[in-house]
Amino acid sequence: MKVTRHRDKIIEGLREWFRVHKEGPTLEELCVELGMQTRQKATLQRWLQTMRGIDVEWEDNAARSLRLLASDPTVEPELQISVPETLRYLATGLAQWESQERIKQRSDIIPQALRIGMSRMYLTSLLQGDETAPSNLPEFFDWAKNPIVEWKPAAEIKHLSPDVTLIEDELLSDFAQQWQVTGGDVELQVQEKILQDVVEHCRVHQLEEAYRAYRKLIIERPVLSYSQYRRLLSSTQLRPLREFLLKTYINLVDLAEENSYHLCSRCKYVMRRHQYKTYSCRNITCEKLSAQLHLPPLPPIPKDDAENWKVLTPGVHRYGTIPGIWEIQLAETLTKLGIRVTLWPEIDEFDLLVEFSKKIRWAIDVKDWSYLDEERLEKVQYRTDMTETFVVFPSEREEVLRIKVERRQIEPELGGVRLMLMSEIISQAKQILEKKNNA
């Protein structure tokens, strides 16, 4: 019997349905799950007929009897633990361990990153039926000297050399040094690495539109219902980045356990609960702006519906959503003035390409910093193919950053890159438009 080209989409939709529901869906409900119009149920029924007895089965004239035959419908692929993330934890933990040894700290204190990495590694091996994962510290140090590819789950990492190890000659290997993350919150920064992985993947495969869709998604929709999430996984634009989306969003109930989940009025992410049933955004800027702008509260997600929602990992929210809000806000403001604006051109070479004409083009990087980091500013490249290259800060940061004063000292060292506030950029754009209109 011929199986239609829609088979994978239907199986995926049914797996998701059975993850939440005990009974099978009606045709109308399955249409909604698959992102189809309910008037297409006759078409869906024809597709199901080609799969009957192979992938699905049902009882004639019995409501909600549709079931999957192909595999256990309670198992969803995203439950697998990311192997690249696990290796980043291990590399970071080993670097921290080596640092402890170097400064002669107590070596019996296992760094948090190493503990997380070993736990994830062991659990991944259990899930995949692999018996080679070390279960204690001495076993791990012996394992780290062997090629990583000998650990079966590592097969998901493409182009991994068979000679790569985490430890070489009793020292941290080059691979481990490249894969470690640095900073105060290792867990957030490991999660941030997914953003870098997406950029690299999209550049290799020239997926500019898919990249732009991904960035807008994590900025504008940090919390998604399962039905929305599943439709996005199979959408034309985002399908090339499906494996990254599976790592970008987690189950809401895995983020926190609450009686109700309150969302920030500005960034729309899940807020933290404090004593006396008060809530605040995980980002202090959101808290201040929500109060200043009198943003209305968003409806909370009740506990009994929480299993039907997905949410960004905290690291992606911190490093992708929060700065991205400013980028989209500036792009929308300039677009409303009648200026052509492209977000994340050349797959994130910079944040905004602003084009007034063929002769006047700006490259803008938007920075939402709590302090001026001159070392990071010096890494911003002046674009010789543009009229101006700007690093732009939210005007709300002026009180802390003092851009108008500090740039006199900093700009001469930046090779033509200029520091501006958003309000100044918008004002300068209006002046250029006015001159064009009067010419």
Side-chain angles (χ1 to χ4, degrees), residues 371-435:
Y371 71 100
L372 274 180
D373 188 330
E374 293 185 41
E375 187 175 337
R376 288 169 71 188
L377 282 173
E378 289 171 1
K379 294 179 181 178
V380 178
Q381 298 293 315
Y382 176 78
R383 302 281 305 201
T384 56
D385 55 339
M386 300 287 162
T387 315
E388 296 276 11
T389 302
F390 295 109
V391 175
V392 177
F393 301 87
S395 302
E396 289 80 358
R397 291 288 194 188
E398 172 61 2
E399 185 178 349
V400 175
L401 300 179
R402 301 176 68 242
I403 298 297
K404 293 179 180 179
V405 174
E406 297 293 340
R407 64 185 169 203
R408 298 171 192 166
Q409 207 168 8
I410 297 174
E411 280 187 351
E413 307 298 321
L414 300 181
V417 176
R418 298 174 59 192
L419 309 185
M420 301 284 277
L421 297 170
M422 281 194 183
S423 57
E424 294 176 313
I425 278 289
I426 294 166
S427 177
Q428 190 165 326
K430 288 179 177 177
Q431 291 175 17
I432 291 174
L433 290 177
E434 191 175 341
K435 287 181 181 178

Side-chain angles (χ1 to χ4, degrees), residues 235-401:
S235 67
T236 303
Q237 269 193 321
L238 289 167
R239 192 182 297 118
L241 301 180
R242 186 180 188 277
E243 66 177 287
F244 298 102
L245 281 172
L246 292 174
K247 300 170 187 174
T248 300
Y249 286 87
I250 59 176
N251 296 328
L252 175 56
V253 293
D254 291 338
L255 177 69
E257 185 176 346
E258 306 284 359
N259 289 325
S260 62
Y261 296 81
H262 293 256
L263 308 179
C264 172
S265 300
R266 178 173 179 261
C267 71
K268 301 178 178 61
Y269 195 65
V270 180
M271 295 198 290
R272 284 197 180 98
R273 177 172 57 86
H274 304 285
Q275 289 182 335
Y276 311 113
K277 295 184 179 180
T278 59
Y279 297 85
S280 67
C281 183
R282 296 157 193 265
N283 182 267
I284 192 169
T285 302
C286 281
E287 278 292 291
K288 292 178 179 177
L289 288 176
S290 295
Q292 289 174 13
L293 301 172
H294 304 289
L295 298 177
L298 298 175
I301 298 171
K303 183 177 182 177
D304 58 6
D305 192 37
E307 289 189 354
N308 296 322
W309 291 84
K310 284 276 191 179
V311 61
L312 291 177
T313 63
V316 172
H317 170 256
R318 169 64 184 86
Y319 297 105
T321 306
I322 295 300
I325 292 173
W326 293 116
E327 295 162 6
I328 286 183
Q329 181 179 318
L330 179 57
E332 288 178 346
T333 302
L334 294 174
T335 299
K336 287 176 183 177
L337 295 175
I339 305 167
R340 183 180 177 185
V341 180
T342 304
L343 280 161
W344 314 296
E346 301 172 38
I347 311 178
D348 220 357
E349 283 295 322
F350 48 97
D351 295 327
L352 275 70
L353 168 61
V354 181
E355 299 176 280
F356 297 88
S357 64
K358 290 183 179 179
K359 294 183 178 179
I360 306 177
R361 303 165 78 233
W362 293 350
I364 293 179
D365 267 324
V366 180
K367 305 295 185 189
D368 181 25
W369 291 351
S370 55
Y371 71 100
L372 274 180
D373 188 330
E374 293 185 41
E375 187 175 337
R376 288 169 71 188
L377 282 173
E378 289 171 1
K379 294 179 181 178
V380 178
Q381 298 293 315
Y382 176 78
R383 302 281 305 201
T384 56
D385 55 339
M386 300 287 162
T387 315
E388 296 276 11
T389 302
F390 295 109
V391 175
V392 177
F393 301 87
S395 302
E396 289 80 358
R397 291 288 194 188
E398 172 61 2
E399 185 178 349
V400 175
L401 300 179

